[in-house]
Amino acid sequence: MIYLVWVPLLMPFLAVPAARRAAAALPPLRAAWLLTAVALVLAVSSSAALVLLVVPGASYLPPVAVLGELLEPLTAGPPAVTVVLALLAGALLVRHAAALAAAAHRTRTDLRRARGAVGGTDGELAVVRDSRPDAYALPGRSGRIVVTTGMLRALEPAEREALFAHERAHLRGRHHLLLMAVELSAHCHPALRALCEPIRYALERTADEAAAAAVGDRRLAARAIGRAALAARHDRGGEAPGPARPRAVLAATAGPVPRRVAALLGGAESGPPAASRTGRLIAGALLCCLVCCLALSGATAAGAANDLHTHIEIAQGESAAE
């Protein structure tokens, strides 16, 4: 068992690069779902592996031995190594749990503060008096599109509609849930942090395509996103600044805007082209490799858990025999 648990702990270092490459070859929405699934599976598997490392070492504690009706500790390896690994794994679990709790609390607090600043008026659109050009999708039971007066001044009417369509796509698709799933998973394993930027890009590209379809003009959508991003980077004073944008929300001006605009102008609805036979073969091979990595990570974690259960049954059986 002690050897099997290393697979879920090391697999993210192999699976995450493969996921990033595979996502780059998929349509934006499929890429977002792929990245989310990869993050969740690897986070659960690696966390389960840490728990399985803690249990054998914890069995040396009398209360645990009594609770499990164990006559002897579960020695899945040399006692000294087992105890040291259990201490390290336990410390990592506590650290990850604390980071998850802090991130969840921070996100909830930011969103609550933003909703309070916007107010509880009816309507999909909430206009905030703020000279800083900004617009974002504020999730919630009744999601709102928040836009500042600075952003309204920076765009033409048709561009505003494209921008609103972009933010509306975030709300209707509940993209914030996918984003939060990946960003919270990143607290469970350091390798998963590399998925945070790709998931944000995939979600923004998904909303870009939805905005282009809504207004029926890809060039208009690209111009609206480009001008909004330029305005946000060259904001002008004049009015008192409003509340800061919560980090957990998605906004049209976020991420690599030039790359997104180029994709819209190039008609790349499915992301980077993989028109050649070689490109399609590489993308298929990456997906197969990724599926194998996820299956192996989950299977080894389950196998290690079954192995530990067998050790517990043996220890209990020896106790009963004596």
Side-chain angles (χ1 to χ4, degrees):
M1 186 271 290
I2 199 170
Y3 302 106
L4 287 177
V5 296
W6 289 108
V7 175
L9 293 174
L10 297 176
M11 188 59 69
F13 294 106
L14 175 63
V16 166
R20 289 172 60 98
R21 292 286 300 276
L26 291 175
L29 184 57
R30 294 182 185 177
W33 280 105
L34 172 69
L35 294 169
T36 304
V38 168
L40 290 175
V41 170
L42 294 178
V44 171
S45 298
S46 60
S47 298
L50 290 176
V51 173
L52 293 173
L53 282 174
V54 169
V55 174
S59 66
Y60 282 87
L61 298 174
V64 176
V66 171
L67 183 63
E69 299 180 354
L70 304 175
L71 179 64
E72 296 180 355
L74 300 172
T75 54
V81 175
T82 302
V83 172
V84 170
L85 286 177
L87 290 173
L88 292 175
L92 286 175
L93 281 173
V94 171
R95 180 178 181 275
H96 293 167
L100 275 171
H105 176 72
R106 183 168 56 250
T107 298
R108 183 179 180 183
T109 302
D110 287 347
L111 292 178
R112 182 183 300 171
R113 184 183 299 114
R115 294 189 190 107
V118 168
T121 57
D122 295 331
E124 178 190 49
L125 185 64
V127 179
V128 177
R129 293 185 61 83
D130 190 343
S131 61
R132 297 172 300 182
D134 198 8
Y136 56 87
L138 182 61
R141 185 172 301 177
S142 56
R144 310 285 299 279
I145 299 173
V146 181
V147 62
T148 65
T149 52
M151 181 63 79
L152 291 177
R153 285 196 298 264
L155 301 180
E156 298 176 358
E159 295 168 344
R160 296 174 193 167
E161 290 303 318
L163 185 68
F164 297 159
H166 176 103
E167 306 303 348
R168 190 176 296 115
H170 283 318
L171 294 175
R172 289 180 176 174
R174 301 186 71 80
H175 293 167
H176 66 285
L177 296 179
L178 302 184
L179 176 63
M180 285 192 290
V182 174
E183 293 195 335
L184 291 177
S185 296
H187 292 288
C188 298
H189 196 287
L192 298 181
R193 297 170 189 164
L195 296 179
C196 294
E197 184 274 331
I199 186 66
R200 282 185 173 271
Y201 176 74
L203 292 174
E204 293 300 342
R205 283 286 298 118
T206 300
D208 289 345
E209 294 298 333
V215 299
D217 188 340
R218 300 182 66 84
R219 295 186 66 85
L220 172 60
R223 187 171 72 249
I225 293 167
R227 289 192 62 182
L230 287 174
R233 292 174 185 174
H234 300 86
D235 59 335
R236 295 172 294 276
E239 297 174 2
R245 181 206 305 170
R247 187 186 181 282
V249 304
L250 291 155
T253 57
V257 175
R259 183 179 166 196
R260 290 166 48 204
V261 169
L264 280 171
L265 294 177
E269 298 185 20
S270 300
S276 68
R277 180 182 178 87
T278 302
R280 289 193 297 269
L281 288 175
I282 292 175
L286 283 171
L287 285 174
C288 290
C289 176
L290 187 57
V291 170
C292 290
C293 288
L294 296 180
L296 182 60
S297 181
T300 51
N306 183 67
D307 192 12
L308 178 62
H309 183 263
T310 301
H311 278 80
I312 293 174
E313 287 186 333
I314 292 174
Q316 290 174 337
E318 292 176 349
S319 175
E322 295 187 7

